[in-house]
């Protein structure tokens, strides 16, 4: 439906003014409110997509930390050294040197803020299981991201169709995510 066109007839007559007001109200109710609802849905979906992507990035960061710990433990096993010197980050990239007299046991974050003391072989087994679990979770989050992107595309195509706009050729489209 197109917006009402103003007529050049006697605009001062009460009936013509009321008719125009009704035409504008109908246009707002039938077209503009639906377009606004579609845009609001698209924005909501986009915000949800960003949250899922941020969650996936956080899980990738956890996997990275576990893999770094795994590499460190494997290096410790190869050297058969009990003592260890390391730089420890206290926060804000402020490092201090630490000396560990007995590195045969370590504390590993198992989740929900709990640390468990483990020897190297236990820790390596736990890290393998944990990284497999986190990798499966990131795979699911990636699938969720793809579904959300498809929904956004569907809404945008629906808006394009409702507004009667021509379809963009593939070459002029760009990936927004």
């Amino acid at each position: 439906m197109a917006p009402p066109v103003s007529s050049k007839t006697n605009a001062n007559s009460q009936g013509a003014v009321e008719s125009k007001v009704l035409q504008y109200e109908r246009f707002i109710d039938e077209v503009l409110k639906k377009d606004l609802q579609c845009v609001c849905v698209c924005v909501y979906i986009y915000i949800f997509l960003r949250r899922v992507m941020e969650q996936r990035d956080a899980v990738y960061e956890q996997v990275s930390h576990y893999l770094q710990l795994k590499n460190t433990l494997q290096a410790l096993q190869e050297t058969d050294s009990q003592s260890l010197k390391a730089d420890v980050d206290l926060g804000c990239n402020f490092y201090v040197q630490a000396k560990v007299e007995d590195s045969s046991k370590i504390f590993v974050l198992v989740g929900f803020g709990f640390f468990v003391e483990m020897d190297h072989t236990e820790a390596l087994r736990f890290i393998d299981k944990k990284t497999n679990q986190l990798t499966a979770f990131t795979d699911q989050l990636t699938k969720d991201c793809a579904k959300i992107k498809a929904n956004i595309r569907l809404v945008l195509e629906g808006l394009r169709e409702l507004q009667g706009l021509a379809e963009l050729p593939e070459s002029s489209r760009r990936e927004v995510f």
Side-chain angles (χ1 to χ4, degrees):
M1 178 178 197
V5 180
S6 63
S7 76
K8 296 191 179 201
T9 58
N10 188 359
N12 290 336
S13 71
Q14 188 68 17
V17 171
E18 288 178 12
S19 172
K20 288 294 177 192
V21 168
L22 288 175
Q23 283 180 334
Y24 277 109
E25 286 176 354
R26 194 174 320 120
F27 176 73
I28 289 171
D29 283 339
E30 294 175 3
V31 177
L32 295 181
K33 283 186 179 179
K34 289 179 185 176
D35 287 348
L36 181 61
Q37 288 173 347
C38 290
V39 168
C40 289
V41 166
C42 191
V43 167
Y44 172 75
I45 293 172
Y46 178 74
I47 290 170
F48 184 66
L49 172 66
R50 297 308 273 178
R51 287 183 183 156
V52 171
M53 290 175 76
E54 288 170 1
Q55 185 180 12
R56 183 184 64 178
D57 291 344
V59 174
Y60 277 137
E61 187 176 344
Q62 285 180 346
V63 170
S64 171
H65 289 300
Y66 279 116
L67 292 177
Q68 184 179 11
L69 178 60
K70 181 179 179 177
N71 290 338
T72 303
L73 288 174
Q74 288 172 341
L76 280 173
Q77 284 181 334
E78 289 174 3
T79 60
D80 276 341
S81 174
Q82 289 294 331
S83 65
L84 170 70
K85 287 185 180 179
D87 289 336
V88 179
D89 186 7
L90 295 179
C92 298
N93 289 326
F94 183 74
Y95 290 89
V96 295
Q97 287 187 348
K99 183 176 180 183
V100 179
E101 296 296 332
D102 181 21
S103 65
S104 64
K105 297 222 181 237
I106 61 168
F107 286 95
V108 179
L109 176 65
V110 294
F112 298 107
F114 292 103
F115 290 84
V116 175
E117 185 178 9
M118 299 180 186
D119 63 17
H120 293 179
T121 55
E122 290 174 330
L124 288 172
R125 276 189 307 210
F126 172 77
I127 290 170
D128 286 336
K129 289 179 183 179
K130 188 69 172 180
T131 54
N132 288 338
Q133 175 195 22
L134 291 174
T135 302
F137 186 54
T138 57
D139 291 343
Q140 182 60 43
L141 288 174
T142 301
K143 289 177 185 176
D144 290 346
C145 286
K147 286 180 186 177
I148 294 168
K149 286 179 184 181
N151 287 338
I152 289 174
R153 177 71 178 203
L154 182 68
V155 169
L156 291 176
E157 286 297 318
L159 279 174
R160 182 199 55 76
E161 186 177 313
L162 284 173
Q163 293 173 344
L165 300 175
E167 187 171 341
L168 289 175
E170 289 293 326
S171 62
S172 66
R173 292 185 184 156
R174 65 180 179 93
E175 184 66 32
V176 256
F177 306 109

